[in-house]
Amino acid sequence: MPPTDNGTCPLASSGQPIDDATGLLHQIDATLSDVVWIYEPRSERFLYVNSAYEREWQRDARELYADSRQWLRAAHPDDRPLLRASFARLARGDGYDVEYRTTLGSGAQRWIAERALPVSVEAGQWPRFAGVSHDITRHKVEQLEQLRSSRAQNEFLAVLSHELRNPLQPIRSAVALLAQQPADNAAPARKAVSIIERQVDHIARLVDDLLDVSRIKFGKLRLHPEAIRIGDVIESAVAAHQMLIDAQRLCLRHTGPPGPVWVQGDTVRLTQVFCNLLHNAAKFSRAEGTIEIAVHPEDGSGNVAISVRDEGAGIAPALLDSVFDLYVQHDQSVAHDHGGLGIGLSVVRSLVELHGGRVAVRSDGPGRGSEFVVTLPGARDPTAAAAITRRIEPTRTSKRRVLLVDDSRDAAESMQALLEAEGHAVLLAFTGQSALEEAQRAQPDVVILDLDLPDIHGCEVARRLRSQAQSATALLFALTGSDGEQDRQAVLAAGFNQYFVKPANPATLLQALSA
């Protein structure tokens, strides 16, 4: 079936009426995106190629009819051996089913799934094969993205396992050290306690980052914006990382306008943003380097730009676009020394964008430091037109009678020791039912209640405590590993006064007891 004058097969170019079979096939062909062809191995000629070859692949059919090697030349150089071997199979009378890359007439590259099968011929004719070439580029791109995502997640899980295991050894060693020390030798005990505190804080930060990634991904993270002084946020972030800054002997500079600068934001979440940025700056800085935090109110826009600049490891230009991607860690050697999951900057970007702001990174390359710039909506000073009020510190009351309810004996007894050291009288219960019975007997001032009890859920225990005369007016503190907004609402609706997420900060808990 030779080509016509316009270079295509008569089947693909006929102008017969639609009720004619040839015309019908022509109309069908015009709708196909797959390239359909017939090849004769013995003569090494394409006898037919449909119109999609010119329409979709943007190649000249005349050139293919004149030289069948055009098909092979268009293939990606790495895939030509595969395609050459496939056509050799046709010469042996076998079909094939392969995937390869080809280049369109426009220069664009496409992935093709191609299948060829023998077709029936009349007696005396040479063997022929019919083939269909289907564009699978979208599928291949999705497949590669899934592969990259899977690889990134596998690397992340390996890092997560490493990061969660690392703090356990110093904690275990510190506990052993405490067990070996005589009661009158306080110095080793203080050192062991310091180690435990640092490692528990590290684990808590890892868990918080993981939870935030999940909340952001599913749209469950809620902000509580208000007008706040950005200087207070920065001071909190600096205080949280003072030990790391001191250990690195870093010089910290803070520049900005003389008066307070106000932004609209959530204090807790913006503190988290600058904690992450400051932690990264300190982690990637050389010893005795400088970190500069600068606040710049922008003229005209009403926004406030806050930059965190270091003189540390820097970032290669090719990597700047991916520093905010999830699970990315560009300098594995530094990350290994200082810990981290490669999710902190992703959380930073998401939190800043939730505030209606933006974050950018600048670096002149490896070894030349980095600068992260956060731009946030500005706010008016809420105290300018308001009466000045004095903040009254809570007065400390007498020591409390506390009922502590937790099914983990180690958790209950360690907190009991902490509270008793502050002078509180502490009773223990390990189930919901025993807590209800103990509350009737002891009439506690405060009940600290783990929600995940083996027999009765903590919220139900709280409702029953409120219905008992002996505990109806007690302060109820929830202690749980869950930190979702719905969890908080359910806890408060059950009658709790406060909500603490494990591991609860001892100072915060003691302050709540003394309020």
Side-chain angles (χ1 to χ4, degrees), residues 40-69:
E40 190 176 69
R42 185 163 182 175
S43 63
E44 297 184 351
R45 290 189 307 135
F46 280 92
L47 303 182
Y48 165 70
V49 63
N50 72 336
S51 61
Y53 183 78
E54 293 191 332
R55 186 178 63 252
E56 302 292 339
W57 288 19
Q58 302 162 20
R59 297 184 195 154
D60 191 336
R62 292 186 183 89
E63 294 179 3
L64 180 66
Y65 287 127
D67 184 1
S68 63
R69 289 173 296 182

Side-chain angles (χ1 to χ4, degrees), residues 188-206:
R190 285 196 297 270
K191 182 177 181 180
V193 168
S194 177
I195 291 171
I196 292 173
E197 284 182 339
R198 285 197 303 273
Q199 298 303 326
V200 169
D201 286 345
H202 178 62
I203 293 176
R205 189 176 72 249
L206 295 177

Side-chain angles (χ1 to χ4, degrees), residues 266-288:
D266 184 312
T267 301
V268 173
R269 294 304 179 181
L270 287 183
T271 300
Q272 183 180 355
V273 165
F274 290 100
C275 276
N276 272 327
L277 294 179
L278 190 57
H279 180 81
N280 269 16
K283 179 169 70 173
F284 290 100
S285 288
R286 296 183 296 271
E288 301 182 354

Side-chain angles (χ1 to χ4, degrees), residues 318-336:
L319 303 178
L320 286 173
D321 290 339
S322 61
V323 294
F324 296 106
D325 291 347
L326 198 57
Y327 310 139
V328 169
Q329 289 183 317
H330 289 308
D331 193 332
Q332 293 294 336
S333 60
V334 177
H336 177 79

